[in-house]
Amino acid sequence: MSLQGAGEAASHAVMFGLDPLWLSTGLLIASYVVLLSEKFNRTVVALLGGGLVIITGVLSQAQAIASIDFNTIALLTGMMIIVAVTRTSGVFEFVAIWAAKLVKADPVGILIALSLVTALFSAFLDNLTTVLLVVPVALLIAEKLKVSPYPYLISQILAANIGGTATLIGDPPNILIGSATGLDFMQFLENLAPVSLLILIVMVPIFKILWGKDLVATQKNRDSIMRFREADSITDMRLLVMSLGVLVLVILGFIIGENYHIPPGTIAMFGAAVLLLITSIGLEGEEQTERLHHALLEVEWAALLFFIGLFVIVAGVEHAGLLEILGHDLIVFTGGDPARTAISTLWLSAIVSAAVDNIPFVATMIPLVHSMQDALGGAAALEPVWWSLALGACLGGNGSLVGAAANVVVSGMGERAGYPISFLQFLKFGLPLMVLSIVIANGYIYLRYFW
C-alpha cells in the first residue's frame, strides 16, 4: 500500500487539503518531540495533540471518541477509587512495615521483594491493579528509609510489564489477542509464562547492580522501622474488612468475568460503587459526600486525560493508514516464512509499543496477522506469530514511559507524591532492559517453535 493511497482512503476533509497520513504522522512525531523536551506537562501535550487531530480533520469528533479505550479508563478509575478507600484503613502501611521487617529493612532487599511480588500479582491479576496496590507501599518505604524512591518506581514498572506478559489477563494486549483468536488462559500460561519467568530471573540481579549502591539506609533508620508494630497501622478494622472483601471479589471478577463477556472496566467501576455504598452505611449525608470527594480526589485524573489524548493521537495515524502500512511491509519483508514472520513481528511490536501505546497497535495488528494465516500454512503455523505479538507488545511497553498503561499510572502516582519521572530518566533504564528482554524472547521463540 502506498502512502498516498492510504492517505486518500483515510479522509477527504483534512484542513487545507493536506494528506491525512503525513499530517497525522507529523502530529504524532511533534507530540513526542515535545514530550521528550519535558518543557510542558505531558497531559497538556497529549490533549493538545488529540485536539489538533480533530481540528485538522484527520478524525471527526465521533471517530476520536470511538478511538478512546473506555474499558482501560474505567478499569483505572475504578481501581483508583478502590485503592483510595482501602488506603484510609492503614492496610498499605501494614504491608510496608511487614515487608520491610521481613528483609531486615534492607533497601535493596525490599526493592527485589517488591519486584517479585509485583511480577507475580501482575500475572494473575493485571499489572494496572498491581501497581495501584504496590506503588504506595514502595513510596512509603522509601520515605521511612530516607532513600530515593526512583529505583522503586522504575523497577515496579518493569516488573509489572514483565509479569503481565505471562497470562491472558495480565496485560490488555493479551486480552485483545485472546479475544480475537480464542486462545485460552492455559495456552497463554503454557506459552508465555516460561519466558516471562526467565526474563524476570535475569532482571532481578540487574536491578541490584543498577541501584544497589544508591539504596543505602542508615542503621538508625533501619532500626526505627524494625521497632514498628504492624498492627498499629490499622486505623479502621471495619473499613479494612469491607475494602479487602470488595477487592477480592473484583479480582475474582477479573478472572471469571471474561467467560461471561463482562469487561474488566465494568467490574472495577461496579466494585468501586459497591465499596463506596457499603462504607457509607450509617453515615450522615454530609459524611458520605465528604468520603466520596476524598476518594475522587485520589484518582489520577492527569494520567486518565493523558491516556485519552494519546488514544486520539494514535487513532489519527491508525485511521490514516500508517500502522497498516507497517503491517503490510512486514508481510512483504518476511515472504511468508513462519520463523521470519514471528521474529519480525516480535521486534516490530516491541519497537512500536515502546513509542506508542501498545493497545491500539495490537488492535491494528490483529487483522493483519489473521490475513497471513493462509500464506504461512494454517492456524497452527500462525500461533507462534501470536505469541510473538504478545511478547513484543507487552515487553516493548518497558521501552519508554508512554509504552504501557502501567508506566503512565506509576509516573502519575510518583508525580503526585513529589517524585516525577522524566521521559528521558525512564528511557535510560527502560530501553536497554527492554531490548535485553526482547533478545531473550527472540531466542525463546526460535528454540521453542522453529528449532
Side-chain angles (χ1 to χ4, degrees), residues 412-425:
M413 297 173 75
E415 186 173 3
R416 289 194 59 168
Y419 302 101
I421 305 174
S422 71
F423 194 97
L424 292 176
Q425 181 184 14

Side-chain angles (χ1 to χ4, degrees), residues 15 23 27 31 46-59 312:
M15 184 177 289
L23 178 58
L27 289 173
S31 297
L47 290 176
L48 284 173
L52 286 172
V53 168
I54 300 172
I55 291 170
T56 57
V58 174
L59 294 177
V312 176

Side-chain angles (χ1 to χ4, degrees), residues 57-398:
V58 174
L59 294 177
S60 67
Q61 180 172 292
Q63 289 171 322
I65 292 174
S67 72
I68 299 170
D69 188 345
F70 283 103
N71 181 63
T72 296
I73 302 298
L75 173 61
L76 289 170
T77 306
M79 292 309 302
M80 287 174 182
I81 292 173
I82 292 173
V83 170
V85 175
T86 306
R87 183 183 295 127
T88 60
S89 69
V91 64
F92 295 118
E93 289 82 354
F94 178 93
V95 174
I97 295 170
W98 176 82
K101 293 175 70 173
L102 185 66
V103 293
K104 308 300 181 183
D106 173 44
V108 178
I110 294 170
L111 181 140
I112 293 174
L114 290 182
S115 296
L116 294 174
V117 168
T118 295
L120 179 63
F121 284 2
S122 293
F124 292 100
L125 310 178
D126 68 84
N127 53 11
L128 297 177
T129 302
T130 299
V131 296
L132 285 169
L133 295 173
V134 179
V135 167
V137 175
L139 287 170
L140 181 65
I141 289 174
E143 178 185 350
K144 297 296 184 183
L145 291 176
K146 293 182 171 56
V147 296
S148 171
Y150 288 109
Y152 295 97
L153 293 172
I154 295 172
S155 62
Q156 284 296 296
I157 293 173
L158 298 172
N161 287 323
I162 293 171
T165 306
T167 68
L168 173 65
I169 61 174
D171 211 1
N174 286 3
I175 296 174
L176 292 174
I177 293 171
S179 298
T181 62
L183 296 169
D184 60 29
F185 185 91
M186 288 308 300
Q187 286 176 296
F188 271 83
L189 191 67
E190 292 169 3
N191 287 276
L192 299 186
V195 65
S196 298
L197 178 60
L198 175 60
I199 291 170
L200 184 64
I201 291 172
V202 172
M203 290 297 170
V204 166
I206 293 178
F207 290 171
K208 184 175 182 179
I209 294 171
L210 289 175
W211 295 302
K213 294 181 180 179
D214 298 327
L215 293 177
V216 179
T218 65
Q219 191 60 47
K220 179 181 178 181
N221 290 333
R222 294 177 62 175
D223 289 342
S224 67
I225 290 180
M226 294 302 296
R227 288 194 294 269
F228 286 169
R229 295 180 64 245
E230 299 92 318
D232 293 341
S233 301
I234 304 301
T235 59
D236 191 330
M237 182 59 70
R238 175 176 175 271
L239 178 62
L240 173 62
V241 172
M242 289 189 293
S243 299
L244 293 183
V246 169
L247 183 60
V248 169
L249 291 176
V250 167
I251 291 170
L252 290 175
F254 290 154
I255 296 174
I256 66 177
E258 61 189 68
N259 297 325
Y260 299 95
H261 308 291
I262 304 174
T266 298
I267 293 170
M269 287 298 293
F270 183 75
V274 169
L275 182 58
L276 289 170
L277 175 64
I278 63 175
T279 55
S280 297
I281 296 175
L283 300 179
E284 298 294 333
E286 186 175 337
E287 292 177 298
Q288 294 183 30
T289 301
E290 182 179 350
R291 176 161 289 185
L292 173 63
H293 285 173
H294 175 76
L296 294 179
L297 284 173
E298 293 296 312
V299 173
E300 301 285 345
W301 298 110
L304 298 177
L305 291 173
F306 174 76
F307 271 123
I308 290 173
L310 193 62
F311 279 134
V312 176
I313 293 172
V314 174
V317 295
E318 179 183 357
H319 183 71
L322 177 62
L323 299 182
E324 185 177 352
I325 289 169
L326 293 174
H328 179 266
D329 289 344
L330 172 63
I331 297 172
V332 173
F333 172 75
T334 61
D337 179 70
R340 185 184 295 178
T341 301
I343 298 305
S344 299
T345 300
L346 173 70
W347 283 97
L348 174 64
S349 302
I351 294 169
V352 176
S353 294
V356 300
D357 189 88
N358 52 19
I359 295 172
F361 171 74
V362 169
T364 302
M365 283 294 293
I366 285 173
L368 296 174
V369 174
H370 267 306
S371 70
M372 294 187 286
Q373 179 169 313
D374 292 338
L376 294 179
L382 192 64
E383 190 170 310
V385 181
W386 292 121
W387 304 132
S388 296
L389 178 61
L391 286 169
C394 295
L395 296 174
N398 277 333

